[in-house]
Amino acid sequence: ALAVKFAERQRSHHCLLVKEHQVREGADTAHPPRRTLFVLNVPPYCGPDSLSRLFSRCGHVQSVDICDKPGPGEKKDKLASKFFDHKTLKGFQVAYVVFRKPAAVQAAKALSQEGPLLISTESHPVKTGISKWIASYEASIVDPKELKAEVDAYMQDYDKKVAEEEAKAAMEEGVPDEEGWVKVTRKGRKPGLPRTEAANLRVLEKEKQKRARKELLNFYAWQHRETKREHIAQLRKKFEEDKQRIALMRAQRKFRPY
């Protein structure tokens, strides 16, 4: 248990539970064993930068990964999007602190013997209260230029990936595989229907109409009875409407002697 304080004037301290991260070989690719410190009970105001500064006295911190719950991590090829798929973690969390050397993990565990450590300092204050809300609101405002640059970069990567897949498919077209099978693609005069919602709805409507034409009306006895019941119900409904119309016409009739 590692005691930490948010500020010097704070009387009570908060406990971070730390241990060496141990998993099976190859189970966690993002958090290597013997160099990763597993931290529990991380408060919401304690971000990756705060944890990195807190444990930097033990050794060089390579990365800090904060999650809502423990789980296997995977290596990230590129940074997450700033505008899309952004998840805000709330409440107490867990963290994985990866050091450059294994000795830093043992040094971090030995910090429990010292007094409470400060998370927020004058040189690196942690924002709370109104200042934190203002910073969160400013961060929520989208910059059109940054958004356009990120979308353009994503579309360029997507177009490049599609071009590579098409080039690979063109090279493999007509070439038999190891077992002698030839891959057939949907190219030619009838390449197939586009995978759009409107096209799918049109296909479903055509199939429904085709089934309706093939279906035999009043083939079964229960179908004949249902048709009679519906016809009688419609006649009764029309009769009631006619009665109401005649009563309304009689009520509106006026005396005209000449």
Side-chain angles (χ1 to χ4, degrees), residues 124-162:
H124 299 91
V126 177
K127 295 182 180 180
T128 58
I130 298 179
S131 59
K132 181 180 178 181
W133 296 340
I134 294 174
S136 300
Y137 174 74
E138 291 178 351
S140 64
I141 299 176
V142 178
D143 187 3
K145 295 182 179 179
E146 293 183 4
L147 179 60
K148 184 178 183 301
E150 182 173 341
V151 172
D152 292 342
Y154 177 82
M155 293 305 301
Q156 289 178 2
D157 295 341
Y158 177 76
D159 294 339
K160 182 179 178 181
K161 183 178 178 181
V162 171

Side-chain angles (χ1 to χ4, degrees), residues 55 57 107 119 129 144 160 163 174 178 183 185 191 208 215 225 229:
F55 292 106
R57 66 189 71 188
I119 295 179
K160 182 179 178 181
E178 298 177 355
K183 183 178 180 181
T185 58
K208 185 178 179 181
E215 184 179 359
R225 289 195 299 269
R229 289 196 188 99

